[in-house]
Amino acid sequence: MSVQSTNTLANVIQRELKRIVSEPVIIFILFVAPILAYGTIWAMFSSGVARKLPVVVVDADHSATSRKVVSMVAASPIANVYAAATLADAKALTLSGKADAILYIPQDLEKHILRIEQSPIVLYINNINIVKGGLIRAGLYKTLASVSTGISIKMYQKNGIDAPTALALAMPIALDSHVLFNPYSNYAYFLMLGLLPLMLVVFTFLGSTYAVGIELKEGTAADLMQTADGSIVLALVGKMLPYTIVLFGNSLIMDLILRYGVGLAFGGNLIVILFSQFMLIVSYQLLAILVVSLTHNLRLSLSLGSAYTMMALTFSGLTFPAMSMPLSAQIFSWVFPFTFWLKIFMNQTIQLGKLAQTAAPFLVLGLFIAVGLISMPLTKKKLSNPEYWGKR
């Protein structure tokens, strides 16, 4: 870069810094909103694991065995037990939203057990919230399986069978389960891993959209191009560089929260992780500029940007497996840089995968950046032509 180009770039940067300081909207998007969003998400989901979900127990047996079942369910971390006299009462509590499940212990439970007969305990689950329903099902199944096994062992021992043999008869197959990447089923790993980067993406796109769109709306685009000596490259690089630096700083705050707040392991290549975040920010900045160039309308660009960025989490494969989506949805997920960045980030943090596996996602992020760069002539046309100025 020549001395003249360097001086021109410095002038554009200086101009943009003055605009940032004088624009409350930009200050809010860059400095205030990310901290508020990160703090709110951390406060909401830092506990990580759902506990004490309301479960109504109807004990129609009133035996020593049924009371033991109730006490073990109450002792499980997943359930906050409420007693009800009848199924009708329990149903009323569930319909009112005061309970998420009903555990029904039938009459003669203990008698059937003493006769070595099967006696089912019925679990009714409100599965409107799939996460809560799944947690209750898994937690109570584990508790009831432990109760059942314990009863079986005692019955075998009463018949003169030694403890090891009784255990083998009660549990002929033992599942040796190893949870590799999230051993405590901590939902903070899942929720905050998606929501914190999504907030970064939202503020990147909206901040970049506003920064360029306001030049068209207020008719200051001519001054920008004049400061840049007519170079669209110098104009956009100088204009967006301060935002890139601040947003990258926000991404580092995000990393600190994930590492020390959530406990997410950053065991991969830190340079790769940071470079992927830089590419994520630049790709969304350039896509924002492209949207502004296509619409030359600040209000419309912000609306489109809000919808586009918020859909990224849904189609990223984090909340619902991409391989299980319809083909059309899988293809649609490819229009979001977030989808490919998430593959890199998870590979180098939770999964600790091979570095070579990040090559394809990096290539796609590069393609998004290339699309933004190709649109520069269109952006120059819109910034240089008064016909596109003054629109909301």
Side-chain angles (χ1 to χ4, degrees):
M1 183 181 292
S2 65
V3 175
Q4 182 178 353
S5 297
T6 303
N7 292 336
T8 301
L9 180 62
N11 291 336
V12 177
I13 293 173
Q14 185 177 12
R15 174 185 180 274
E16 192 59 34
L17 290 175
K18 291 179 180 178
R19 290 179 65 87
I20 290 174
V21 172
S22 63
E23 278 282 358
V25 173
I26 294 295
I27 292 175
F28 180 79
I29 292 176
L30 289 182
F31 300 100
V32 180
I35 302 302
L36 289 177
Y38 290 168
T40 301
I41 293 171
W42 167 245
M44 291 174 63
F45 302 114
S46 59
S47 59
V49 181
R51 300 293 189 198
K52 297 301 178 184
L53 299 175
V55 176
V56 181
V57 175
V58 180
D59 183 1
D61 191 42
H62 302 291
S63 64
T65 301
S66 67
R67 287 192 291 272
K68 182 176 181 180
V69 171
V70 174
S71 66
M72 289 195 68
V73 170
S76 68
I78 197 65
N80 188 19
V81 170
Y82 296 88
T86 64
L87 271 175
D89 294 337
K91 182 180 178 181
L93 288 171
T94 304
L95 292 177
S96 67
K98 296 179 180 178
D100 293 314
I102 301 171
L103 187 70
Y104 177 69
I105 302 174
Q107 281 184 322
D108 300 328
L109 172 75
E110 189 171 70
K111 289 181 180 180
H112 286 299
I113 291 174
L114 293 174
R115 295 172 186 168
I116 315 180
E117 296 174 352
Q118 189 177 57
S119 182
I121 293 177
V122 185
L123 178 63
Y124 301 93
I125 298 176
N126 178 3
N127 211 38
I128 292 177
N129 187 314
I130 297 176
V131 173
K132 287 199 294 185
L135 287 172
I136 291 173
R137 182 184 293 108
L140 295 190
Y141 177 81
K142 186 181 296 184
T143 298
L144 294 175
S146 299
V147 174
S148 178
T149 302
I151 292 173
S152 297
I153 291 172
K154 287 184 178 180
M155 295 296 295
Y156 285 126
Q157 287 180 311
K158 284 184 179 180
N159 292 325
I161 298 174
D162 60 275
T165 304
L167 177 61
L169 289 171
M171 294 184 63
I173 298 176
L175 178 64
D176 187 12
S177 178
H178 300 271
V179 182
L180 297 178
F181 305 122
N182 189 2
Y184 304 106
S185 298
N186 190 327
Y187 273 79
Y189 274 55
F190 154 65
L191 292 168
M192 296 181 70
L193 178 59
L195 292 176
L196 292 182
L198 182 66
M199 291 298 98
L200 176 66
V201 163
V202 169
F203 297 131
T204 297
F205 199 101
L206 296 185
S208 303
T209 299
Y210 186 87
V212 177
I214 198 68
E215 299 276 9
L216 293 174
K217 180 183 176 182
E218 296 182 349
T220 57
D223 179 65
L224 171 62
M225 294 305 297
Q226 183 179 357
T227 306
D229 290 339
S231 171
I232 186 62
V233 174
L234 294 178
L236 292 181
V237 171
K239 183 171 186 62
M240 302 312 299
L241 186 59
Y243 298 88
T244 307
I245 294 172
V246 174
L247 290 165
F248 186 72
N250 289 338
S251 76
L252 297 181
I253 296 174
M254 174 192 75
D255 290 337
L256 291 174
I257 295 174
L258 290 174
R259 174 64 184 89
Y260 297 103
V262 179
L264 188 68
F266 278 63
N269 192 313
L270 184 59
I271 295 176
V272 171
I273 294 172
L274 296 180
F275 185 62
S276 72
Q277 291 172 186
F278 174 78
M279 290 188 69
L280 178 72
I281 292 168
V282 172
S283 63
Y284 272 102
Q285 283 184 304
L286 289 171
L287 289 175
I289 294 171
L290 173 60
V291 171
V292 173
S293 301
L294 290 172
T295 64
H296 49 269
N297 184 306
L298 178 57
R299 182 181 297 172
L300 178 58
S301 297
L302 290 172
S303 298
L304 292 174
S306 298
Y308 174 68
T309 52
M310 293 304 292
M311 285 192 296
L313 180 62
T314 304
F315 291 92
S316 66
L318 186 64
T319 57
F320 189 84
M323 65 182 69
S324 300
M325 294 180 185
L327 181 60
S328 58
Q330 293 184 42
I331 294 174
F332 186 65
S333 71
W334 300 343
V335 304
F336 304 101
F338 183 84
T339 300
F340 301 94
W341 171 81
L342 193 61
K343 295 179 185 294
I344 299 171
F345 191 76
M346 292 184 68
N347 176 272
Q348 291 297 300
T349 54
I350 294 178
Q351 297 171 350
L352 295 178
K354 295 180 180 179
L355 191 59
Q357 295 172 330
T358 65
F362 265 121
L363 178 61
V364 178
L365 286 179
L367 291 176
F368 279 108
I369 292 174
V371 169
L373 294 175
I374 292 172
S375 69
M376 279 195 175
L378 176 63
T379 307
K380 182 176 182 179
K381 176 183 177 182
K382 298 298 175 71
L383 291 176
S384 304
N385 193 337
E387 178 185 350
Y388 302 105
W389 303 345
K391 296 186 178 182
R392 291 181 180 274

